[in-house]
Amino acid sequence: MLQRIQSLFLFIALVAAVVVHFFPLASYLGEIYYLKFYIYGLRDMAPDPSIPVNNLLVAPLYILNGIAAVLILITLISYKKRIRQLKILRIAILLSIVNLILIFFFYSPKIESVTGARADFLSEAGIYFPLIMLLFL
C-alpha cells in the first residue's frame, strides 16, 4: 500500500486530518471570555462556562474535515487506480481549501464579533494541521 512517495504523503495528510480533532485551532481572549476554538465547537475555559456561540455553528467544519479524511482514506486504498485517485484527491483538496477559508474568513470574524475577544492562531497547534493536510495533498 505504501509503495510510492505519494502514498506516504497521503498517509501524512490523513494523520493530520485526524489529529486536528484533538487540538484547538485558535484561542480567544477577551475581557469576559477565554475560549478555545476546536474544529467541532467552542470550549469556554472559564470556571463558569457561558458560551455565546452555538456549537452547531461550526458543524460544517467538522463535516468537511470528516469527508476530506474519508476521501483521503479512499484515495490511499485505491492506489492501483491512479486516475480515480486523482479525481478523488482533487475533491479532497477543494474541501480542505474550503475548510481553511471558513476557519479564517468566516468563523474567526464571526466569533470575534460575538464575543469581543481577539483570536490568537499562532499559539495553538491545531491550526497547523489543516495546513499540513493541504500541503501533503
Side-chain angles (χ1 to χ4, degrees):
M1 183 161 75
L2 294 175
Q3 292 91 0
R4 299 188 316 251
I5 192 72
Q6 294 92 339
S7 298
L8 182 64
F9 289 163
L10 288 173
F11 182 73
I12 293 171
L14 179 64
V15 168
V18 172
V19 170
V20 75
H21 294 284
F22 302 109
F23 294 97
L25 298 172
S27 58
Y28 293 88
L29 184 60
E31 294 178 12
I32 301 172
Y33 299 107
Y34 178 52
L35 303 171
K36 295 279 186 172
F37 176 38
Y38 289 86
I39 202 158
Y40 54 82
L42 286 170
R43 279 196 188 162
D44 194 352
M45 305 311 277
D48 54 341
S50 60
I51 299 175
V53 180
N54 190 356
N55 280 335
L56 291 177
L57 175 73
V58 295
L61 285 179
Y62 188 71
I63 292 169
L64 285 175
N65 193 54
I67 292 171
V70 169
L71 288 177
I72 295 169
L73 183 64
I74 291 170
T75 305
L76 191 60
I77 291 172
S78 65
Y79 59 92
K80 290 185 180 181
K81 301 174 184 173
R82 293 195 61 185
I83 301 298
R84 184 175 119 184
Q85 196 178 35
L86 286 172
K87 290 178 184 176
I88 295 173
L89 196 58
R90 287 183 188 133
I91 296 170
I93 289 171
L94 179 69
L95 290 176
S96 181
I97 290 171
V98 168
N99 208 359
L100 284 171
I101 289 171
L102 284 175
I103 289 170
F104 286 113
F105 297 112
F106 181 73
Y107 289 112
S108 182
K110 182 98 168 158
I111 294 169
E112 284 179 357
S113 68
V114 169
T115 61
R118 188 83 181 127
D120 183 19
F121 289 105
L122 298 178
S123 67
E124 300 298 337
I127 197 62
Y128 299 109
F129 292 115
L131 297 171
I132 290 170
M133 182 174 79
L134 182 63
L135 178 72
F136 282 101
L137 284 178

